[in-house]
Amino acid sequence: MTQRSGRSLGLALALFFLAAPAGVAADIQPHRALYTLTLDTAKSGSGVVGATGAMYYEWGETCDGWTVEQRFRLRLAYAESDNSDLSSTLVTWESKDGLRYRFNERRLRDGEPDEEIHGEAHLDGPGKGGVAEFTRPQATTIHLAPGVIFPTAHTLLLIDGAKAGDQFIARQIFDGSTVDNASQITAVIGPALKSSVAPENKALKSPVLERPSWRVRLAFFSPDATTELPDYELGMRLYDNGVSSDMSLDYGDYVIHAMLDEIEALPKPSC
């Protein structure tokens, strides 16, 4: 697995568990979840023959923002080289007005430090540009163009668009996963699934999954993309309360599958 795919795995999986800025219609449910990671498919030329791992995710709500903690580990097995162990711890905070965002991530490769990214960003107002300031891996300032949004605002845009019957949404998103500017993410949204449609893990029972949902396919393009092909794609079942399940991360040569095994609703604050 390349360094790019290692970092994008964690951020892609994290990007769509986040909550809503104030003033939107979606009723987001803070929650704690555990996912099992496995190899779904792999092309013969990829060299990947297996994958095992897990992801822990906890999203909490405060009176002025949303907190996210995510930890994942993944072991990739190769046909003609040693296994590769990847792990990451990600902590973010985003204000409910969608204008401020803090991000901290630490990645390990085979037990050794690989990269740390710390920083914060702000927008000057809804629809306006702003600035992202990194303190690690080195001090860097990036100017964000008008129209750029943060991950939580994007998730709510998808939910509200799905409710309205939109089938395609494209936006520029800044998530702090690399010392780069915002990336374009395009979404294709399928028809609504009734709340009676069981999740892929049929043994999993929870009221937070007894909600309307949609199949969503997202394509991620790097800021300096020179091709029409995305860097990678993420497929998932997105519920109207912000919960995601039945995910697959497609790198072209191989696909990592994330199955939701456990989920617990967390309380909302009394503000």
Side-chain angles (χ1 to χ4, degrees):
M1 181 183 252
T2 65
Q3 183 172 342
R4 175 193 59 80
S5 59
R7 70 161 59 101
S8 59
L9 172 63
L11 268 295
L13 294 178
L15 189 57
F16 303 98
F17 299 115
L18 304 177
V24 299
D27 182 15
I28 299 301
Q29 175 61 64
H31 59 280
R32 179 184 295 123
L34 183 64
Y35 299 79
T36 296
L37 306 178
T38 57
L39 180 66
D40 190 354
T41 61
K43 295 180 179 179
S44 57
S46 69
V48 178
V49 296
T52 57
M55 181 175 70
Y56 170 87
Y57 176 82
E58 182 173 318
W59 163 49
E61 179 180 356
T62 65
C63 292
D64 64 348
W66 312 100
T67 61
V68 170
E69 179 182 353
Q70 179 202 272
R71 300 190 300 270
F72 88 85
R73 56 176 176 79
L74 179 70
R75 166 167 285 194
L76 282 175
Y78 295 93
E80 299 180 358
S81 61
D82 295 338
N83 295 344
S84 180
D85 291 310
L86 305 169
S87 62
S88 171
T89 299
L90 171 70
V91 177
T92 68
W93 176 88
E94 187 167 340
S95 63
K96 287 187 174 180
D97 61 10
L99 300 180
R100 292 173 293 156
Y101 179 55
R102 296 196 296 265
F103 49 94
N104 296 274
E105 186 178 16
R106 184 171 185 262
R107 307 182 187 113
L108 301 178
R109 180 180 297 271
D110 298 326
E112 298 294 329
D114 185 34
E115 189 172 19
E116 287 192 44
I117 296 183
H118 296 177
E120 58 183 78
H122 72 269
L123 301 175
D124 295 331
K128 297 182 179 180
V131 171
E133 296 180 319
F134 293 81
T135 56
R136 292 188 180 180
Q138 63 269 334
T140 305
T141 299
I142 292 176
H143 294 279
L144 304 176
V148 168
I149 58 177
F150 299 135
T152 57
H154 181 238
T155 302
L156 268 295
L157 182 68
L158 293 179
I159 293 174
D160 289 344
K163 287 182 176 181
D166 295 340
Q167 298 178 331
F168 181 83
I169 296 174
R171 292 298 297 266
Q172 294 287 325
I173 315 300
F174 177 82
D175 59 25
S177 61
T178 62
V179 187
D180 290 314
N181 215 308
S183 301
Q184 177 166 293
I185 301 177
T186 62
V188 177
I189 305 171
L193 301 174
K194 295 181 179 179
S195 57
S196 59
V197 178
E200 182 183 37
N201 185 352
K202 294 181 173 56
L204 185 61
K205 305 294 183 183
S206 172
V208 303
L209 300 176
E210 297 172 359
R211 308 279 304 187
S213 59
W214 305 265
R215 296 287 182 187
V216 179
R217 185 79 175 181
L218 301 131
F220 295 72
F221 297 85
S222 61
D224 56 352
T226 58
T227 174
E228 295 183 357
L229 297 176
D231 287 352
Y232 54 93
E233 297 182 72
L234 174 68
M236 63 180 171
R237 180 174 179 179
L238 177 63
Y239 291 80
D240 70 344
N241 58 3
V243 174
S244 296
S245 69
D246 307 350
M247 295 180 291
S248 62
L249 189 58
D250 186 350
Y251 287 109
D253 289 338
Y254 60 92
V255 179
I256 300 296
H257 179 243
M259 176 180 282
L260 179 61
D261 285 332
E262 300 177 20
I263 189 163
E264 175 188 358
L266 297 178
K268 298 184 178 184
S270 299
C271 300

